[in-house]
Amino acid sequence: MATEAADLYRAQAIVTGQGEANRIIGFASCLEDVLIKVSGAQKLAGDRRLAAYKPKAKGFVRAFSYHDQMSGTPTRDEQGTRDRPYDLIVDFDEKKIDDVLKALGLKPWLSRRPVLGVFVEMQQDLKKYMVTADADQSELQRESLLAAAGKRGMTIALPGVAALAKLSINGVGLRTMTSSTLASVAAQQGGEIALVGRLVWVDRELGWATQWQMDWQSRTHRWQVRGVTFDEAFRRGIGGAAQILSNNGDPA
């Protein structure tokens, strides 16, 4: 699951049909993602300075392709062809992306990226569970975490059910474990740095209240986000870790 350097300059977005208008919108979305991915700077998400570059995103594209999300489903008519959802996969010109980052006061994070050993507890009402590599209960969250890692150019390792049981780890116990113990547990699952997250569903906010924690360079880093989907919470968690590791500052 290691991230190849060339993949850092690739991003993808979901578009409707293969028309140019929607493709241009997709290019703009991919441009923001690839700038975050290459630099490790999660803080670029929604940055107003990108408004000057997004309309010109086509000029930064080296190549693009489509993947039909409904592959194998017959196309019934022309309207169906236009409405069909596709993954737009975009490869950007490396030098042009590096130049944009330089103009934004950032630089590419091209050194080897450590593997994150990710421990996430979910709580919705009385229901609590850990996101694991193999439990059916957390399949959606597992896929979302892996997608968030790919989007941010990171590699992650998730614990298995048996490993958690063997070590008697649950959400409550996880939050009281020392950093050295967490690092040891992360290493057993292939991770080099432990990233811990806790997501609690809040009805009045119609979203998840999320707390993240990671120890790096003799310091404990904490950040949080509220009222978001778990997909966005995972992007903020993985992206926040990348921002710290790439020396772009603490997540907001």
Side-chain angles (χ1 to χ4, degrees):
M1 293 176 59
T3 302
E4 297 293 338
D7 291 344
L8 292 178
Y9 292 85
R10 176 178 299 153
Q12 69 180 55
I14 298 173
V15 296
T16 302
Q18 298 186 27
E20 184 175 10
N22 285 337
R23 183 163 62 245
I24 294 300
I25 295 172
F27 285 164
S29 174
C30 287
L31 177 62
E32 177 172 307
D33 281 338
V34 86
L35 289 169
I36 296 171
K37 188 178 183 182
V38 172
S39 66
Q42 170 71 27
K43 59 189 176 183
L44 284 178
D47 192 315
R48 289 179 294 180
R49 294 176 297 170
L50 300 188
Y53 297 99
K54 287 184 176 182
K56 302 182 289 187
K58 181 179 179 180
F60 303 123
V61 173
R62 180 172 57 80
F64 67 89
S65 61
Y66 288 97
H67 172 259
D68 188 348
Q69 289 193 346
M70 298 175 65
S71 178
T73 302
T75 301
R76 294 184 174 83
D77 52 38
E78 194 217 347
Q79 182 66 31
T81 303
R82 291 201 301 269
D83 291 343
R84 207 172 177 91
Y86 290 88
D87 293 317
L88 172 63
I89 303 164
V90 185
D91 289 304
F92 287 89
D93 183 279
E94 297 180 11
K95 184 180 185 305
K96 290 180 179 180
I97 292 301
D98 292 352
D99 287 345
V100 173
L101 289 175
K102 183 177 181 179
L104 295 170
L106 298 167
K107 58 184 179 181
W109 179 28
L110 301 180
S111 58
R112 182 186 175 277
R113 302 185 176 192
V115 179
L116 296 174
V118 181
F119 303 88
V120 173
E121 177 196 12
M122 310 283 295
Q123 179 179 341
Q124 188 166 14
D125 297 324
L126 298 178
K127 182 181 179 183
K128 296 181 181 181
Y129 58 94
M130 297 280 294
V131 181
T132 66
D134 48 8
D136 292 340
Q137 182 182 38
S138 60
E139 181 178 5
L140 288 177
Q141 290 76 20
R142 175 169 63 250
E143 291 178 355
S144 180
L145 269 170
L146 291 170
K151 199 177 192 70
R152 297 300 181 237
M154 299 298 293
T155 303
I156 65 171
L158 296 170
V161 173
L164 291 177
K166 181 179 179 180
L167 296 166
S168 300
I169 294 177
N170 54 41
V172 176
L174 189 64
R175 295 194 296 277
T176 61
M177 294 175 71
T178 65
S179 58
S180 59
T181 302
L182 270 176
S184 176
V185 175
Q188 292 180 43
Q189 66 190 47
E192 298 167 85
I193 299 173
L195 173 64
V196 179
R198 183 170 187 261
L199 281 70
V200 179
W201 177 260
V202 181
D203 283 330
R204 66 180 178 275
E205 298 179 16
L206 296 178
W208 297 89
T210 311
Q211 297 177 326
W212 294 97
Q213 177 177 315
M214 184 180 76
D215 288 336
W216 175 245
Q217 294 184 337
S218 303
R219 180 183 164 199
T220 298
H221 300 262
R222 296 185 178 90
W223 62 104
Q224 58 185 354
V225 60
R226 301 183 66 92
V228 297
T229 64
F230 63 73
D231 293 308
E232 179 62 17
F234 293 156
R235 284 192 289 270
R236 298 282 191 94
I238 302 292
Q243 182 163 302
I244 294 166
L245 295 169
S246 61
N247 294 317
N248 278 304
D250 280 347

